[in-house]
Each structure stands twice: as C-alpha cells, then as structure tokens.
C-alpha cells in the first residue's frame, strides 16, 4: 500500500479494548471505530490512554482496518503536582544507625 492511498483523520480515544485495540471517536465523521496501534508505536512502547488525541489512518482497500499512527501530546493529562524533590517517605527511609559514643 502506498502512503498516498491512506486517508488520515484525527480522533479521540474513548476506550481500551482487548488484544491491543482501541475504540476511537472521529468527530468529523461522527463515527466510532476500532483501531490498532501502528508497528512503530508498539516498537517504541508509546502508551495510548483514553482521552488522547490520535491520528488514525484508513486503508481504502480494507475499510474495517484502522491504524493509529500518531499520538498528540495532551497537556491536560500532565500532572501539575510538584515532584517530591529528594524527600523520601518515612516508611521508605533506611534505618539510621547512631554511632557508639562510649
């Protein structure tokens, strides 16, 4: 399949299904489709979670097969909570031994 044959649209991931499939809602077409992650996304371990904006491409020869080719950076998902800078929780701290001063 040539890359010019594929039709690309943007959608939002609604749900994670079994066996590496995702339910994607395409707003332009008012359509919900089942898609799978492209090979490079699997190879580089790119995680897709519900709410992500993704680029989905359709193979015109097999209209039931949709492939997720790109995951947009979603700034809402990033945590705004400050990171714990060097402070270890009390239950994780190693026991501190005191020197014997006799």
């Amino acid at each position: 399949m040539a890359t010019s044959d594929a039709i690309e649209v943007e959608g939002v991931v609604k749900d994670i299904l079994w066996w590496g499939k995702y339910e994607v809602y395409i707003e332009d077409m008012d359509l919900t489709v089942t898609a799978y992650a492209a090979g490079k996304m699997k190879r580089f371990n790119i995680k897709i979670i519900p709410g992500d904006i993704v680029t989905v491409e359709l193979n015109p020869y097999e209209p039931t097969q949709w492939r997720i080719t790109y995951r947009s950076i979603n700034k809402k998902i990033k945590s705004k909570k400050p990171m714990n800078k060097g402070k270890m929780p009390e239950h994780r701290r190693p026991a501190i031994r005191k020197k014997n001063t006799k």
Side-chain angles (χ1 to χ4, degrees):
M1 175 182 84
T3 56
S4 61
D5 293 344
I7 301 165
E8 289 190 348
V9 292
E10 280 196 357
V12 178
V13 177
K14 290 293 178 191
D15 195 16
I16 300 172
L17 304 174
W18 51 272
W19 208 255
K21 305 237 182 203
Y22 303 91
E23 191 174 273
V24 180
Y25 175 71
I26 301 169
E27 191 173 331
D28 298 340
M29 300 179 187
D30 195 32
L31 181 67
T32 302
V33 297
T34 303
Y36 63 92
K40 289 278 184 173
M41 294 186 77
K42 289 179 187 175
R43 179 180 174 196
F44 293 110
N45 239 357
I46 296 174
K47 304 293 181 197
I48 302 171
I49 57 175
D52 282 346
I53 299 169
V54 294
T55 302
V56 184
E57 74 178 27
L58 167 68
N59 181 358
Y61 304 112
E62 184 62 43
T64 60
Q65 296 291 321
W66 293 77
R67 179 175 45 235
I68 299 173
T69 56
Y70 183 76
R71 178 184 155 246
S72 299
I73 298 170
N74 196 348
K75 294 181 181 174
K76 288 188 226 174
I77 294 175
K78 289 186 179 178
S79 176
K80 294 182 180 177
K81 193 166 112 179
M83 292 188 68
N84 190 1
K85 296 184 179 179
K87 294 180 183 175
M88 192 177 290
E90 194 66 40
H91 67 281
R92 296 268 186 190
R93 290 186 187 160
I96 300 171
R97 295 184 182 185
K98 295 182 180 178
K99 292 182 181 178
N100 194 354
T101 57
K102 286 187 180 179

